[in-house]
Amino acid sequence: MRTMTRRSVTGQYPDVKPELPPRSRGVIALLEENCTVCMLCARECPDWCIYIDSHKETIPAPPGGRERQRNVLDRFDIDFSLCMYCGICIEACPFDALFWSPEFEYAELDIRDLTHGKERLGEWMATVPPPPAHDDSGVRPKELESAAAALAKTAAGAGPERPSRHGREAEAAAPAPAEPVEPAPAEPVTPEVAAPEAPPTGRRSLGGVVWAPEEDER
Ligand code: SF4
Ligand code: SF4
């Protein structure tokens, strides 16, 4: 009843643009730098309306390393005349290369022109709204929890800094510090006992009487 009595409002589009919810599913935008040509989106698309071509590029080897290869995206087309806006490709992308954009003004006069390439999909990235703010009462991401735990562990175990490998090498190369030399204990000075003077050879004193053995032997 309330709806029946409400006055209808006619949107004056295109003179007045409609105010769409920020998470509207208008069109799919592509962040080309994030795409690794894994083909998951094309495989998962139920309408088979994503067309991808690529070639391999060799990255020169860094000093001491070896050459690597990477995929370079040549073509990324979405046929929006077939797309049913299910969002499976966006959910399937493991590298955050696909996003919903609220952009909706891409109508064409010819249905064949509704196939848009990576350049056009990249332009729509400018209209992708930023991700919603984190809900404080929600479950925190596992990555944040593990990072906070690692930080707390580092802060708790911050003891004396361990010497680096170079520090240990320098320590080993340095000459060993001289050991303190203990002073030797001084020898006890014994008072010199004066030896009794030997009687002169040839003559002996006996009770004040000088006795000459030579004479006695004679
Ligand atoms: S939204 Fe659905 S139908 Fe459209 S390209 Fe993605 S997976 Fe395919
Ligand atoms: S799933 Fe993502 S990374 Fe893989 S080809 Fe599609 S857009 Fe590129």
Side-chain angles (χ1 to χ4, degrees), residues 28 41 44-47 49-50 78 82-90 100:
I28 296 166
C41 54
E44 296 294 324
C45 175
D47 281 353
C49 61
I50 300 179
I78 297 181
L82 295 175
C83 176
M84 57 180 182
Y85 302 89
C86 63
I88 290 176
C89 54
I90 296 173
W100 278 120

Side-chain angles (χ1 to χ4, degrees), residues 31-70:
L31 185 59
E32 192 181 336
E33 296 80 18
N34 283 9
C35 181
T36 60
V37 199
C38 68
M39 306 293 283
L40 274 179
C41 54
R43 281 190 213 144
E44 296 294 324
C45 175
D47 281 353
W48 291 85
C49 61
I50 300 179
Y51 313 110
I52 299 175
D53 279 335
S54 69
H55 69 273
K56 287 205 182 294
E57 188 182 76
T58 303
I59 302 172
R66 61 178 180 177
E67 285 183 349
R68 295 179 64 193
Q69 286 200 324
R70 72 181 186 102

Side-chain angles (χ1 to χ4, degrees), residues 7-216:
R7 290 185 62 189
S8 60
V9 179
T10 304
Q12 300 299 315
Y13 180 81
D15 298 324
V16 179
K17 295 277 177 76
E19 282 188 24
L20 296 175
R23 312 310 298 175
S24 299
R25 294 187 173 193
V27 76
I28 296 166
L30 170 73
L31 185 59
E32 192 181 336
E33 296 80 18
N34 283 9
C35 181
T36 60
V37 199
C38 68
M39 306 293 283
L40 274 179
C41 54
R43 281 190 213 144
E44 296 294 324
C45 175
D47 281 353
W48 291 85
C49 61
I50 300 179
Y51 313 110
I52 299 175
D53 279 335
S54 69
H55 69 273
K56 287 205 182 294
E57 188 182 76
T58 303
I59 302 172
R66 61 178 180 177
E67 285 183 349
R68 295 179 64 193
Q69 286 200 324
R70 72 181 186 102
N71 294 320
V72 179
L73 190 64
D74 293 327
R75 178 189 180 206
F76 193 105
D77 291 353
I78 297 181
D79 187 351
F80 287 101
S81 66
L82 295 175
C83 176
M84 57 180 182
Y85 302 89
C86 63
I88 290 176
C89 54
I90 296 173
E91 297 294 324
C93 178
F95 299 104
D96 283 344
L98 294 174
F99 299 88
W100 278 120
S101 157
E103 178 62 43
F104 62 93
E105 293 178 312
Y106 55 95
E108 301 288 348
L109 293 175
D110 191 336
I111 194 171
R112 287 170 293 186
D113 295 337
L114 275 173
T115 301
H116 294 294
K118 61 187 173 88
E119 291 79 16
R120 189 81 193 277
L121 299 182
E123 286 170 15
W124 283 324
M125 272 306 296
T127 60
V128 174
H134 180 67
D135 183 3
D136 287 336
S137 56
V139 179
R140 275 162 61 90
K142 277 186 289 183
E143 293 83 359
L144 277 181
E145 293 290 347
S146 57
L151 267 178
K153 193 176 170 187
T154 309
E161 203 173 316
R162 296 179 62 188
S164 66
R165 181 173 160 266
H166 297 295
R168 284 198 297 272
E169 280 173 5
E171 209 172 275
E179 285 185 15
V181 181
E182 280 186 26
E187 284 187 14
V189 182
T190 49
E192 217 169 273
V193 180
E197 266 187 38
T201 51
R203 281 177 175 266
R204 292 179 197 169
S205 163
L206 229 171
V209 179
V210 177
W211 168 60
E214 297 91 22
E215 292 171 7
D216 193 42

